[in-house]
Amino acid sequence: MTSTAALPPLAQRVLGSRLLASLTSPHGVDHYLRQINPMWAATDVRARVVDVTRETDGEHPVATLTLEPTSTWRGHRSGQYVQVGLEVAGRRTTRCFSISSAASLPGERFTITVRAHEEGIVSKYLVREAQPGLILHLSQAEGAFTVHESAATPTNNHLVMISGGSGITPVMSHIRTFLRDGYDDHAQRKITFVHYARSPEDQIFAEELREIAAADNGITVHLRYGPHLFDADELRLMVGGDYTDMDTWVCGPAGLVELVQEAYGDSPRLRVEFFKPPAFAKDDDAEGTLAFNLAGSTASNDGSSILEQAEAAGLTPEFGCRMGICFSCTSRKTEGTVRNILTGETSSLPDEDVRICVSAPVGSCAVDL
């Protein structure tokens, strides 16, 4: 049986030194440590699955996995996500998952809550086949869907949380952090939490939400099921005023997020996190050609992302989140200009590494694919 004891701090510092890294090149220290004990790491982050809780059944079941990380885990802030690498059939595949537990300190256990998508190799495995003892490869926590006020300090700020489907996971991380760190199980501020799900049977964290809704904790929970869509007038009644002046977090399907964005207009108080790739507008006036250097082929630039055009050309580039978060699809652009379809910014630098899932050619362009 593998020991769960972490490396002593001094040993971790020595093993993480540049000198030892150069001596163990090209594999690195962590490659050899992992052969001895997968929970020993100098710089890499890994985690052992210690519990799997099935949240919902049905066509797309959901499970919560409790992870015990290596001592190299730096902790996380509520609302962040982590890249999870899983080796299936000899190949490591990486995907991003929101952390659903309250904020963690270095080395502390945390949870991810995963919905099994039919096309998702990692999500299906984690939900349907993962068992305690499974080792996962992790990144450090990432993402800016965070709260910038202390949960332990009472304020008069009225916060609004809106989520749909499995987009509830980062929002629950916020709620759990407020309730854990607030005094006497109270969030220490007013929070309106609105969640949309297909049905009560598809409701993730159903029992916990019932308890939160029933308690005197400052949090008002509104659950909406079926075809019930986000309605700006309904939100105004829920919060009792102009919601555009309230700090708001929204996470869920692109359709929900777009409705909320439309309702908030240009309000800087709205923070957005997609859990599915947003629908990017395609430039129908695009011109030029897109050259795939390694494949030795070209295609007419149709204005969509480089990743979409590569797939349409029959190529199979690596990708992860398809929304510019995980960097799995980063490839070298050798010529031309690209537009970031999230921000609209353009770049014409030669030999530039770009995320091809959120980069579209502006005119002719060449990439190492």
Side-chain angles (χ1 to χ4, degrees):
M1 184 174 177
T2 302
S3 169
T4 59
L7 286 172
L10 178 60
Q12 189 169 321
R13 284 200 295 275
V14 172
L15 291 169
S17 67
R18 293 183 178 179
L19 174 62
L20 209 53
S22 64
L23 292 174
T24 54
S25 178
H27 297 300
V29 175
D30 280 310
H31 171 79
Y32 298 101
L33 287 176
R34 190 175 61 197
Q35 311 307 313
I36 302 171
N37 187 328
M39 293 302 287
W40 285 357
T43 57
D44 287 356
V45 184
R46 292 184 289 276
R48 182 199 315 275
V49 176
V50 295
D51 184 69
V52 181
T53 300
R54 312 295 171 186
E55 301 281 355
T56 67
D57 297 319
E59 183 179 1
H60 300 292
V62 177
T64 293
L65 287 79
T66 302
L67 307 182
E68 179 181 51
T70 53
S71 58
T72 45
W73 171 251
R74 298 175 192 152
H76 81 280
R77 299 177 61 188
S78 65
Q80 290 192 301
Y81 64 87
V82 64
Q83 296 181 45
V84 177
L86 174 68
E87 293 180 1
V88 179
R91 178 183 178 186
R92 184 184 301 180
T93 303
T94 301
R95 294 291 183 269
C96 297
F97 297 103
S98 294
I99 300 171
S100 53
S101 53
S104 68
L105 295 173
E108 284 189 345
R109 291 183 179 186
F110 61 95
T111 64
I112 57 174
T113 300
V114 180
R115 181 184 296 279
H117 294 284
E118 195 54 41
E119 70 280 11
I121 297 173
V122 177
S123 66
K124 279 195 302 185
Y125 189 93
L126 292 179
V127 173
R128 293 174 172 157
E129 300 186 49
Q131 298 292 329
L134 175 69
I135 298 295
L136 303 175
H137 302 268
L138 304 179
S139 68
Q140 296 290 352
E142 303 171 49
F145 191 67
T146 53
V147 175
H148 296 279
E149 57 183 70
S150 170
T153 304
T155 76
N156 292 323
N157 293 343
H158 186 168
L159 309 183
V160 181
M161 308 280 178
I162 304 171
S163 61
S166 55
I168 195 174
T169 50
V171 176
M172 280 302 289
S173 180
H174 289 320
I175 296 293
R176 288 166 167 167
T177 301
F178 278 122
L179 291 177
R180 184 194 65 183
D181 296 347
Y183 177 72
D184 198 21
D185 296 327
H186 196 285
Q188 306 296 307
R189 71 262 296 138
K190 184 182 291 184
I191 298 177
T192 298
F193 178 21
V194 189
H195 178 70
Y196 298 85
R198 293 180 182 176
S199 67
E201 292 73 27
D202 290 312
Q203 179 63 63
I204 307 170
F205 313 128
E207 182 59 32
E208 185 177 356
L209 288 175
R210 277 192 287 273
E211 294 175 358
I212 292 173
D216 178 16
N217 51 26
I219 301 174
T220 305
V221 179
H222 303 270
L223 301 178
R224 297 291 182 267
Y225 299 121
H228 194 114
L229 298 177
F230 169 81
D231 183 274
D233 291 333
E234 184 182 41
L235 180 61
R236 188 173 291 107
L237 291 174
M238 289 175 181
V239 302
D242 184 2
Y243 51 79
T244 62
D245 288 335
M246 299 175 181
D247 287 316
T248 301
W249 289 257
V250 58
C251 181
L256 169 66
V257 172
E258 288 164 1
L259 287 174
V260 176
Q261 286 179 310
E262 182 179 345
Y264 275 74
D266 58 0
S267 171
R269 311 295 288 273
L270 179 65
R271 286 86 165 173
V272 173
E273 185 94 318
F274 288 93
F275 76 87
K276 282 186 175 179
F280 298 126
K282 181 178 172 183
D283 181 6
D284 293 327
D285 297 325
E287 299 177 341
T289 59
L290 175 57
F292 304 110
N293 297 334
L294 303 182
S297 59
T298 61
S300 296
N301 176 21
D302 67 6
S304 59
S305 72
I306 295 174
L307 175 59
E308 291 174 310
Q309 296 194 55
E311 291 175 333
L315 306 183
T316 57
E318 183 177 352
F319 65 86
C321 63
R322 299 184 79 99
M323 61 182 87
I325 293 176
C326 73
F327 291 82
S328 298
C329 66
T330 299
S331 300
R332 178 62 55 93
K333 170 182 70 69
T334 56
E335 296 178 26
T337 299
V338 294
R339 175 177 58 89
N340 185 312
I341 52 184
L342 295 174
T343 65
E345 296 177 350
T346 59
S347 176
S348 302
L349 294 174
D351 296 326
E352 177 185 18
D353 290 332
V354 299
R355 293 165 292 167
I356 61 174
C357 68
V358 292
S359 298
V362 179
S364 293
C365 191
V367 292
D368 283 344
L369 289 174

